[in-house]
Amino acid sequence: MSLSRSRRLRRVGRSRTRVRGLIALAVLLALLVVADATARAMVRPWIGRDVALALGLPQRPAVTIGGFTFLPRLVSGEIPLVWVRMGTVTASGLTVRTVSLRLGSVRFSRAKFLSGHPGTITAATADGAIIITGAVAPASGRNTRPITVRFARGRVLLSGAGLGGPVSARPSVSGRTLRLRPIGARSTLSLEITLPALLPGVDYTNVMVETSTATLSFHAAEVSLRPRSS
């Protein structure tokens, strides 16, 4: 065998080895991606179940898990971000469309997860928003007849209780209270609506009135979601 042919064979051999290595690496990465996606798919309904049990929801909310390389985080028992979307929330006097929740630094019991039993979920921070389409509540002060609250073209409108027609109101929030004060001198009415205690220690921070809805932003820290059945 000539020297040049021997060199060509060695180059071909090295090339085939590199190709085999790349194929093996690609297969390994594909398996890791599949395993990661499978783990996320398994954890999502588990988190949704425990959130529903903790908040007394009639059905599991939609759950999205953030962050890359989920498997190592699953092993550690901490997930950087979890988004929860709830479509049905019981709130006295409020017509709720949706509730969106963002949990940061979510921690859970690996033993509870592996056993399939409900467990406590904690989060360092919780931020979110509740979208309402209207409300019915009594007025404070002399007039305690029900007042209807609706939103139209970016305005809050009050009607009923002898107001003599829709009255525009200015909204504000503090703690768990939505305050509505009529604009102008048509009425001295002051309306307060208690907002739902979605989470322990929740604090509503802002209200934004849109075309036909109002979005109420909220925040909470060091949240503990303990399933009521546990």
Side-chain angles (χ1 to χ4, degrees):
M1 181 182 299
S2 65
L3 181 60
S4 59
R5 184 180 180 185
S6 176
R7 289 176 177 173
R8 284 197 301 271
L9 289 176
R10 284 197 297 271
R11 284 197 296 269
V12 170
R14 287 195 295 268
S15 178
R16 289 176 177 174
T17 300
R18 284 195 295 269
V19 169
R20 293 192 189 100
L22 291 174
I23 292 175
L25 180 60
V27 170
L28 178 61
L29 290 175
L31 291 175
L32 289 175
V33 170
V34 171
D36 198 83
T38 301
R40 288 177 190 265
M42 292 174 60
V43 171
R44 281 198 300 267
W46 174 76
I47 292 178
R49 177 202 63 189
D50 285 5
V51 170
L53 290 174
L55 301 181
L57 303 178
Q59 59 186 9
R60 296 184 185 185
V63 174
T64 302
I65 298 174
F68 298 100
T69 59
F70 177 69
L71 280 175
R73 301 188 183 278
L74 177 61
V75 173
S76 69
E78 182 172 348
I79 304 172
L81 287 175
V82 172
W83 288 273
V84 180
R85 185 178 178 85
M86 298 167 266
T88 303
V89 175
T90 302
S92 177
L94 294 177
T95 304
V96 179
R97 175 181 291 179
T98 57
V99 178
S100 301
L101 178 62
R102 177 183 180 273
L103 301 173
S105 298
V106 179
R107 298 176 295 277
F108 58 91
S109 169
R110 289 169 293 177
K112 289 284 186 180
F113 169 70
L114 293 174
S115 67
H117 296 148
T120 300
I121 297 175
T122 63
T125 59
D127 298 279
I130 176 173
I131 298 177
I132 61 175
T133 58
V136 177
S140 61
R142 297 178 180 178
N143 197 338
T144 58
R145 286 181 290 175
I147 291 179
T148 300
V149 182
R150 63 187 181 91
F151 311 102
R153 298 179 180 179
R155 295 190 303 161
V156 181
L157 299 177
L158 310 180
S159 59
L163 291 174
V167 175
S168 296
R170 181 177 293 106
S172 63
V173 289
S174 177
R176 284 183 52 216
T177 302
L178 170 63
R179 293 183 174 86
L180 302 173
R181 300 185 183 278
I183 299 174
R186 294 182 59 185
S187 174
T188 58
L189 179 71
S190 178
L191 183 64
E192 293 188 354
I193 299 176
T194 300
L195 300 172
L198 296 171
L199 300 169
V202 66
D203 180 35
Y204 287 84
T205 57
N206 187 44
V207 55
M208 179 180 296
V209 180
E210 301 175 10
T211 303
S212 59
T213 62
T215 301
L216 301 158
S217 302
F218 58 85
H219 172 78
E222 298 301 332
V223 174
S224 179
L225 300 175
R226 185 183 301 277
R228 297 177 184 180
S229 63
S230 65

